[in-house]
Amino acid sequence: MKKNWIKKSLTVTGIIATGILFSQFTGEGTNYTSVDVKNHVYLPNNINFCGEKVPMKIIDVKERLDREMTVNINLHSGTTLIIKRANRYFPEIEPILKKHGIPDDFKYLAVIESGLTNATSSAGAKGFWQFMPETAKEYNLEVSNSIDERYDVVKATEAACQYLKKAYNKFGNWTLVAASYNRGMGGIQKSIDAQGVTDYYDLFLTDETSRYVFRILALKEIMENSGKYGFQLPNDVLYDPIKTKNLPVSENIPDLAKYALDQGINYKILKLHNPWMRDTSLTVTPGKTYVVQIPTEGYKR
């Protein structure tokens, strides 16, 4: 979790059926120039985060959302990959959010934090939910030289839910909760106290936090209406979930490569599915049991 994060009038006389090409007639008759304005997007009239309405009539709110929509629609390769990954990882994340009473929209927070990869930030935050080491430990994630549970999607999502519930108890507003994930609860409270307003959309914040919720809103809108924004991906190109079996481990494993072969896979596959294992061996913390995922499909030649 990170604390720090052109007017010439055009007369449009025709719209090509694809919805991304407008025709600008330049004079009488049939002579015209085709103008590609695929970068343009009409913002949704109604949009919300966790059921909390976004006040789109406020000019800077509208323009902040427009910025993030424009950026992410045109980050075509990156947004495409996120949509593909979501097909695999949302089924893991969604039930955990639901179990903890966290609105489903928070899965898009993980999207903007990490692109649904086990990313590492320049500040040292890691995993889908980008926990810093000390914050991870505060929410019961083990972080050591050989084990880093920030890389465990399930455990990290559980930890994120604990933070989100704590923040909601403090703010009573999911939009402020999301902003606090970037700025920290103390940082958001300090801004509220100093400025005398209690709505995220009224607060003057650092650029990163000011953009943060709008990034979530943009990815939510694009991913839930992907065809509308030019991301028409057939189902067979999406990344499917991979079936696994879970093996409890409560004793040290001195050689993970040998352990992998004993399970009928190899070291690469073991590490791909258990990225929380950070060494070539596993030293079990006394009294603790780990769950090792062993894929049962997807790797046969």
Side-chain angles (χ1 to χ4, degrees):
M1 189 182 309
K2 301 170 288 189
K3 294 182 70 174
N4 298 320
W5 305 67
I6 14 165
K7 154 166 177 195
K8 184 177 178 181
S9 176
L10 298 181
T11 302
V12 179
T13 60
I15 301 176
I16 304 302
T18 60
I20 64 170
L21 189 65
F22 288 64
S23 298
Q24 175 199 4
F25 285 85
T26 58
E28 297 181 1
T30 59
N31 294 326
Y32 65 90
T33 301
S34 295
V35 180
D36 185 354
V37 292
K38 62 186 178 183
N39 292 344
H40 179 71
V41 56
Y42 286 103
L43 299 175
N45 291 323
N46 294 296
I47 188 167
N48 72 84
F49 179 69
C50 304
E52 298 169 359
K53 188 174 181 179
V54 180
M56 293 293 289
K57 290 184 179 181
I58 299 176
I59 190 167
D60 77 292
V61 169
K62 181 177 179 180
E63 292 178 0
R64 285 154 71 189
L65 179 59
D66 183 65
R67 176 181 182 176
E68 304 308 327
M69 290 287 292
T70 301
V71 167
N72 286 283
I73 287 168
N74 289 285
L75 288 174
H76 201 270
S77 60
T79 302
T80 298
L81 286 169
I82 286 169
I83 293 170
K84 290 183 176 186
R85 294 177 192 135
N87 193 62
R88 173 173 295 166
Y89 294 112
F90 276 2
E92 284 193 84
I93 294 171
E94 290 165 344
I96 300 172
L97 296 175
K98 183 176 181 179
K99 179 180 73 173
H100 288 279
I102 304 298
D104 191 66
D105 280 357
F106 274 96
K107 64 191 179 188
Y108 299 108
L109 188 149
V111 169
I112 70 155
E113 282 285 345
S114 64
L116 300 179
T117 67
N118 272 312
T120 298
S121 77
S122 58
K126 296 180 185 291
F128 276 44
W129 294 91
Q130 289 289 279
F131 279 99
M132 293 293 286
E134 291 308 312
T135 310
K137 294 173 184 177
E138 181 183 347
Y139 290 94
N140 300 313
L141 293 177
E142 184 174 351
V143 180
S144 68
N145 290 332
S146 61
I147 295 167
D148 194 334
E149 293 182 328
R150 293 177 294 174
Y151 289 107
D152 185 314
V153 177
V154 172
K155 289 186 177 181
T157 304
E158 294 274 358
C161 287
Q162 295 303 319
Y163 174 90
L164 298 171
K165 286 193 289 188
K166 182 177 180 180
Y168 188 76
N169 287 336
K170 179 177 181 63
F171 296 113
N173 175 281
W174 290 116
T175 308
L176 286 174
V177 169
S180 79
Y181 201 90
N182 176 257
R183 185 65 178 158
M185 284 183 257
I188 293 297
Q189 188 62 56
K190 184 177 179 180
S191 295
I192 289 171
D193 293 342
Q195 298 175 39
V197 293
T198 58
D199 192 313
Y200 169 80
Y201 302 104
D202 292 333
L203 286 167
F204 183 83
L205 298 163
T206 63
D207 186 60
E208 184 178 348
T209 309
S210 181
R211 295 181 65 180
Y212 192 77
V213 171
F214 291 92
R215 288 173 174 151
I216 299 173
L217 291 168
L219 267 298
K220 173 189 173 183
E221 172 66 17
I222 294 166
M223 293 175 74
E224 290 184 354
N225 303 280
S226 56
K228 175 181 176 181
Y229 298 108
F231 297 92
Q232 289 131 328
L233 303 181
N235 289 336
D236 59 357
V237 306
L238 302 178
Y239 299 164
D240 290 330
I242 300 172
K243 292 181 181 179
T244 62
K245 62 182 179 181
N246 294 332
L247 298 182
V249 173
S250 54
E251 296 182 354
N252 294 344
I253 303 176
D255 186 341
L256 286 174
K258 182 179 183 302
Y259 174 82
L261 293 174
D262 289 343
Q263 307 307 318
I265 56 174
N266 58 42
Y267 183 68
K268 177 196 76 173
I269 297 171
L270 179 70
K271 297 287 272 189
L272 286 175
H273 284 269
N274 301 276
W276 54 272
M277 296 176 169
R278 306 310 293 170
D279 206 345
T280 58
S281 61
L282 176 65
T283 302
V284 174
T285 300
K288 191 166 182 176
T289 298
Y290 303 93
V291 176
V292 178
Q293 289 191 347
I294 306 295
T296 58
E297 64 178 16
Y299 293 99
K300 291 185 178 180
R301 297 182 182 275

